[in-house]
Amino acid sequence: MATDRLDALRGPVPPRPHDARAIAALAANPGCARRAVLDAAGIDKDSTARHLGFPAPFGQSRFAITRGDVFEAQVKANGCAGLLRLLREVLGLPIPLVAYHDAADVGAHLRHAHTRALIDRAARDSDDAGTFYDHPLLSLEIAGHTSYLEPDVVAFRLGGRFHIVEIKSFAVIDGQAEPAKVAAAARQAAVYVLALRRLVEELGHDPGRVSHEVILVCPENFANRPVATLVDVRRQLAVLRRQLARMTGVGDLVSGLPSGLTFDLAADADGVPTRPVAELAEAIGTVAARYAPECRSTCDMCLFCRDEARDEGSTDLLGRHVRDELGGVAGVDEALALAEGTRGPADGQEEIARLLRLADRLRAESLEPAR
Amino acid sequence: MAFTLMLEIRGTQGRHAEAPATLPAVSDPLDALERRIGELRGEVRRAVKARQSTLARSLRGELRKAELAWDDAVSAEHGDAPEPAGTPSLLPVREQVHQALALLGVPTAARLVVAVHEAFFAGGLSAGRLTSLRRDEERSFRTAPFSRPYYLCAALTDRLSPARGLLAVSTWPLEQRIVGPLSHRVDFLVSASRIAEHLGRLTRAGEDAPPGALRLLSRMAQNIPGAVERFGGAEPQTVIRAAAAELTVHLEADTAGRAGTAERAARQLGDVEQLFGAATLSHAQRGA
C-alpha cells in the first residue's frame, strides 16, 4: 500500500539506489520529513533540485576523489601491508595473523554471495578465518529496496570480532582531525556496521560479534603516512537505526499527503524534465522540510529548502542552536518584534521575550559609542 | 645473460641521473677526467697482474664512474642535454614486465611491477599499458599455444579463478603462481627481500644504488616489523633479515596450502585455465 504510494510519488522511473553516503546523510538530519519521503520513494534528488533551479554545489572535487583513491590504494597495497602494520602497532595484532581474502576474486556478479560465504566461514570456525576481507559487498534493505554497500575493508580476528575499516584521506594533524569530517566518516562507517550486523544475524551468528568500534585510517600530519584510530560509532548506530525504522514507518507520513500528489519530473524521451517548475515546487512544498545549515553538505535539496526557509523568515536558517533557543517563536520577524517590544509576548513566550529584549538592549548599548 | 642486460640498461640510466652534478663549465675538468681515466686504467692493469681481485674490482668501479662522468661532460659541452628520464624503452611492454617479474619472482600487482621497473630499469613503463596485457597474452596463447618462450599470465586463487590484478610468468612452477590467503603477505616479504638482494648485488658490482630503488625499499620496509629504524632509509641487509624472520612464521602453512591448490589445479584444469584461471561461474560453487 505504502509502496504503491511511494511509486506514484516517484513517477515511472526506477528508484535510485542508496549508497552509504546517502544513508549516512539520512542520519544527519533525522527530523526532515521531506528528505525521508524523497529518499523512501527513491527519488533522484539531484535532478529534482536541478529542475527546480536550485542545483546544489555538491559532491567532491575530482582532485579530492583521486587523492582519496590513491591513499586507499596505498594503504591496501600488497595484501593490505600498510594496514597490517597499523593494526600490529595500534591494536597489537599478532604476527601470524596475516590471511587476506579478496571478495572480488570471483567476479562482480558473485561478490555479494562470496562475501556472505567468507563472513560465514570466519564466524563459524576461527581456524580458517582470514584477517582481512577486501572489497566486500554488503546489502541493507531500505524502505523495501535493497541497497548494496562497499566498505573499504573488513578486518576480523581482533579479539574474535569483525571491525569495519574506513580509509579516509583527510589528515589527522597532531592527533586532531576536523570534527565534521570525522563525524561524517563515523556516520558512514555506522551504516557498514549495521549492514554487517544484519548479515551476521541472518547467518545465524551473534550480531554482537561486529564491533561498534570502527578503525579509521587517515594520513598523519603533513605526510602521506597512514595512521589508525578506533572510533566508537554507537551513537551514530542508534540514530541510524531510528531513522531507518522511521523510513519503514514512512507510510504514516505518506498517508497524510494529498492523493494524486507526485514528484514526477515527466521526463521526455531524451530524459529532459518537462514538468512545470512552479507545479513541482508546489508539490515538493506540501512535504515539510527541516532546513539546517548543515544540510548544505549532505543534501541535494539544500538550496531549495534554504530559499523556502528564507521566504518564510524561518529561524531554521540561523542554525539548530538558535532555533532551539527560540523555541515557541515561529519566525525571524516575530523574534525581532518581540525584541523591539513592538509586539507583546503571547502565552508561554514571556521568558524568551525577556531574553530577546535584553539582547536587544545589549546590542544597542554596544553600538552606542560608535554612533 | 639477462643479468648483464639489466646492468647495461641500468648503466644508461645512471648516466642521466648523475648529469646535473657533473656539469663542467670549460674543458679543464674534461682534461682532468681523461688523466684520471688513464691513471685508473694503469692501476687496474697492475692490480689484475698482481691478482688482487678485490682491489681490481673496486678500481674498475671507479673507472666506470669516471667514464660516465666524462660522457656527461662531453655531451653537456656540445649542448645536447641528456634525454629526460622516462623516455619510452625500446623493449616491448611484455619484456619490460618480464624483467621486473624475473627480479621479484612472485606474482605481483601491476603497481609494484611499475615501481620496480622504474627503480631498476631504464625507460618509463606506465600502469595504463599493463591493463590489457593479460588479456592479450591469453588471446595469443589460445591461437598458438606454447609458441612463445614465456607468457605473462594470471596467478590463481584457491578457487582456481584468476587473482585480481596480479601478474605472473608462465614458466614459473604452478605452486609459485597460486595465491592462498597467506600468500599475499609471503609474496610481499619475498619481493621486499628480492629488491634488497638486487640492491646489494648492484652495490657489490660497484654501481651506485639507484635512489629510486632505495626509496621503494624503504617504503616497503616500513611495513615489515624490525626492518627499518624510525628515521632514515632502509638497509638492504636488515630488510632481508627482518623479512626472513617474519617469513618463517607464515611459510610452512602457505607452502602447504599452495601445494594442495596447485595439485588440484593440475588435476582439474586444462592448459589455458592453468595459465589464465578458470571461469568463476563453474568453480565458484566447488570452492566454497
Short mmCIF file of all heavy atoms in Angstrom, two decimals, chain B residues 1 20 24 29 37 62 65 87 105 123 138 159 179 182 187 196 203 217 232 244 259 264 270 283-284 288:
data_model
loop_
_atom_site.label_atom_id
_atom_site.label_comp_id
_atom_site.label_asym_id
_atom_site.label_seq_id
_atom_site.Cartn_x
_atom_site.Cartn_y
_atom_site.Cartn_z
N MET B 1 72.89 -13.96 -18.32
CA MET B 1 72.60 -13.31 -19.61
C MET B 1 71.67 -12.12 -19.41
O MET B 1 72.00 -10.98 -19.72
CB MET B 1 71.94 -14.35 -20.53
CG MET B 1 71.63 -13.84 -21.92
SD MET B 1 73.11 -13.55 -22.89
CE MET B 1 72.39 -12.99 -24.40
N PRO B 20 73.29 16.31 -13.59
CA PRO B 20 73.34 17.66 -13.08
C PRO B 20 74.53 17.91 -12.16
O PRO B 20 75.02 19.03 -12.06
CB PRO B 20 72.05 17.77 -12.28
CG PRO B 20 71.21 16.61 -12.69
CD PRO B 20 72.16 15.56 -13.15
N PRO B 24 80.43 20.54 -16.28
CA PRO B 24 81.60 21.41 -16.22
C PRO B 24 81.37 22.68 -17.03
O PRO B 24 80.57 22.68 -17.96
CB PRO B 24 82.68 20.55 -16.87
CG PRO B 24 81.93 19.67 -17.82
CD PRO B 24 80.49 19.61 -17.41
N PRO B 29 87.96 20.43 -16.69
CA PRO B 29 87.56 19.20 -15.99
C PRO B 29 87.64 17.99 -16.91
O PRO B 29 87.97 16.90 -16.44
CB PRO B 29 86.11 19.48 -15.60
CG PRO B 29 85.96 20.94 -15.64
CD PRO B 29 86.92 21.44 -16.68
N ILE B 37 91.19 8.92 -15.88
CA ILE B 37 90.82 7.65 -16.51
C ILE B 37 92.07 6.89 -16.90
O ILE B 37 92.18 5.67 -16.67
CB ILE B 37 89.91 7.90 -17.73
CG1 ILE B 37 88.53 8.37 -17.27
CG2 ILE B 37 89.77 6.64 -18.58
CD1 ILE B 37 87.63 8.87 -18.39
N GLU B 62 85.47 2.49 -9.94
CA GLU B 62 85.83 3.91 -10.00
C GLU B 62 86.04 4.35 -11.45
O GLU B 62 85.64 5.43 -11.86
CB GLU B 62 87.10 4.16 -9.20
CG GLU B 62 86.84 4.58 -7.77
CD GLU B 62 88.13 4.74 -7.01
OE1 GLU B 62 88.92 5.63 -7.37
OE2 GLU B 62 88.36 3.95 -6.06
N LYS B 65 82.82 4.93 -13.15
CA LYS B 65 82.23 6.21 -12.74
C LYS B 65 82.89 7.37 -13.47
O LYS B 65 82.21 8.28 -13.94
CB LYS B 65 82.40 6.38 -11.22
CG LYS B 65 81.13 6.04 -10.45
CD LYS B 65 81.32 6.35 -8.98
CE LYS B 65 81.09 5.10 -8.16
NZ LYS B 65 81.52 5.26 -6.77
N THR B 87 61.98 8.20 -20.83
CA THR B 87 61.72 8.04 -22.26
C THR B 87 61.29 6.61 -22.50
O THR B 87 61.75 5.69 -21.84
CB THR B 87 62.99 8.31 -23.08
OG1 THR B 87 64.08 7.68 -22.41
CG2 THR B 87 63.26 9.77 -23.24
N GLY B 105 60.15 -12.56 -8.81
CA GLY B 105 59.96 -14.00 -8.65
C GLY B 105 58.66 -14.43 -7.99
O GLY B 105 58.50 -15.60 -7.65
N GLY B 123 63.73 3.53 -18.90
CA GLY B 123 62.50 3.69 -19.66
C GLY B 123 61.27 3.69 -18.79
O GLY B 123 61.19 3.00 -17.79
N GLU B 138 46.58 -13.96 -23.21
CA GLU B 138 45.68 -15.10 -23.25
C GLU B 138 45.23 -15.36 -24.69
O GLU B 138 45.21 -16.50 -25.15
CB GLU B 138 44.47 -14.86 -22.34
CG GLU B 138 43.49 -16.02 -22.36
CD GLU B 138 42.41 -15.89 -21.31
OE1 GLU B 138 42.46 -14.94 -20.51
OE2 GLU B 138 41.50 -16.74 -21.30
N ARG B 159 40.29 -20.79 -5.34
CA ARG B 159 39.15 -21.35 -6.08
C ARG B 159 39.51 -21.50 -7.57
O ARG B 159 38.63 -21.62 -8.40
CB ARG B 159 37.91 -20.50 -5.97
CG ARG B 159 37.93 -19.46 -4.89
CD ARG B 159 36.64 -18.72 -4.89
NE ARG B 159 35.80 -19.25 -3.84
CZ ARG B 159 34.49 -19.14 -3.81
NH1 ARG B 159 33.86 -18.55 -4.80
NH2 ARG B 159 33.80 -19.63 -2.82
N VAL B 179 47.90 -18.08 -5.25
CA VAL B 179 47.84 -17.19 -4.09
C VAL B 179 46.74 -17.67 -3.15
O VAL B 179 45.56 -17.59 -3.46
CB VAL B 179 47.61 -15.72 -4.46
CG1 VAL B 179 48.88 -15.09 -4.97
CG2 VAL B 179 46.52 -15.56 -5.47
N LEU B 182 47.42 -16.63 2.78
CA LEU B 182 48.66 -16.13 3.38
C LEU B 182 49.65 -15.63 2.33
O LEU B 182 50.61 -14.94 2.64
CB LEU B 182 49.34 -17.24 4.19
CG LEU B 182 48.55 -17.77 5.38
CD1 LEU B 182 49.29 -18.92 6.03
CD2 LEU B 182 48.33 -16.67 6.40
N ASP B 187 54.33 -13.23 -0.35
CA ASP B 187 54.87 -12.67 -1.59
C ASP B 187 55.41 -11.26 -1.37
O ASP B 187 56.40 -10.86 -1.97
CB ASP B 187 53.79 -12.65 -2.68
CG ASP B 187 53.49 -14.06 -3.17
OD1 ASP B 187 54.26 -14.97 -2.82
OD2 ASP B 187 52.50 -14.25 -3.89
N ALA B 196 65.90 -5.99 -2.04
CA ALA B 196 67.08 -5.72 -1.20
C ALA B 196 68.30 -6.48 -1.73
O ALA B 196 69.40 -5.93 -1.82
CB ALA B 196 66.79 -6.11 0.24
N THR B 203 75.43 -2.88 -5.59
CA THR B 203 76.48 -2.20 -4.83
C THR B 203 77.77 -2.99 -4.91
O THR B 203 78.85 -2.42 -5.07
CB THR B 203 76.06 -2.06 -3.35
OG1 THR B 203 74.66 -2.12 -3.27
CG2 THR B 203 76.56 -0.77 -2.78
N LEU B 217 62.44 0.49 -1.52
CA LEU B 217 62.73 -0.48 -0.46
C LEU B 217 62.35 0.09 0.91
O LEU B 217 61.75 -0.61 1.72
CB LEU B 217 64.20 -0.87 -0.49
CG LEU B 217 64.59 -1.96 0.49
CD1 LEU B 217 63.97 -3.28 0.06
CD2 LEU B 217 66.09 -2.11 0.60
N GLY B 232 65.33 7.60 8.79
CA GLY B 232 66.39 7.11 7.92
C GLY B 232 65.91 6.01 7.01
O GLY B 232 64.88 5.37 7.25
N ALA B 244 62.98 -12.33 6.43
CA ALA B 244 63.16 -13.76 6.65
C ALA B 244 62.57 -14.17 7.98
O ALA B 244 61.95 -15.23 8.12
CB ALA B 244 64.64 -14.11 6.58
N ALA B 259 50.66 -25.92 -2.30
CA ALA B 259 50.90 -27.21 -2.93
C ALA B 259 49.56 -27.92 -3.17
O ALA B 259 49.33 -28.49 -4.25
CB ALA B 259 51.82 -28.05 -2.06
N ARG B 264 45.42 -29.60 -7.11
CA ARG B 264 44.04 -29.59 -7.59
C ARG B 264 43.96 -28.94 -8.97
O ARG B 264 43.25 -29.41 -9.86
CB ARG B 264 43.19 -28.80 -6.59
CG ARG B 264 41.71 -28.91 -6.79
CD ARG B 264 40.98 -28.74 -5.46
NE ARG B 264 41.43 -27.57 -4.70
CZ ARG B 264 40.81 -26.38 -4.77
NH1 ARG B 264 39.78 -26.21 -5.57
NH2 ARG B 264 41.23 -25.37 -4.05
N GLY B 270 42.64 -27.40 -17.71
CA GLY B 270 43.37 -27.58 -18.97
C GLY B 270 44.51 -26.59 -19.07
O GLY B 270 44.74 -25.80 -18.15
N HIS B 283 33.50 -22.80 -11.08
CA HIS B 283 34.27 -23.28 -9.94
C HIS B 283 33.91 -22.61 -8.63
O HIS B 283 34.34 -23.06 -7.58
CB HIS B 283 35.77 -23.10 -10.21
CG HIS B 283 36.28 -24.07 -11.21
ND1 HIS B 283 36.77 -25.29 -10.85
CD2 HIS B 283 36.31 -24.02 -12.56
CE1 HIS B 283 37.12 -25.94 -11.95
NE2 HIS B 283 36.84 -25.19 -12.99
N ALA B 284 33.12 -21.55 -8.71
CA ALA B 284 32.82 -20.79 -7.51
C ALA B 284 32.11 -21.66 -6.48
O ALA B 284 32.39 -21.61 -5.30
CB ALA B 284 31.97 -19.59 -7.85
N ALA B 288 33.62 -23.31 -2.35
CA ALA B 288 33.02 -22.80 -1.12
C ALA B 288 32.95 -23.86 -0.02
O ALA B 288 32.90 -25.02 -0.29
CB ALA B 288 31.61 -22.29 -1.41
#
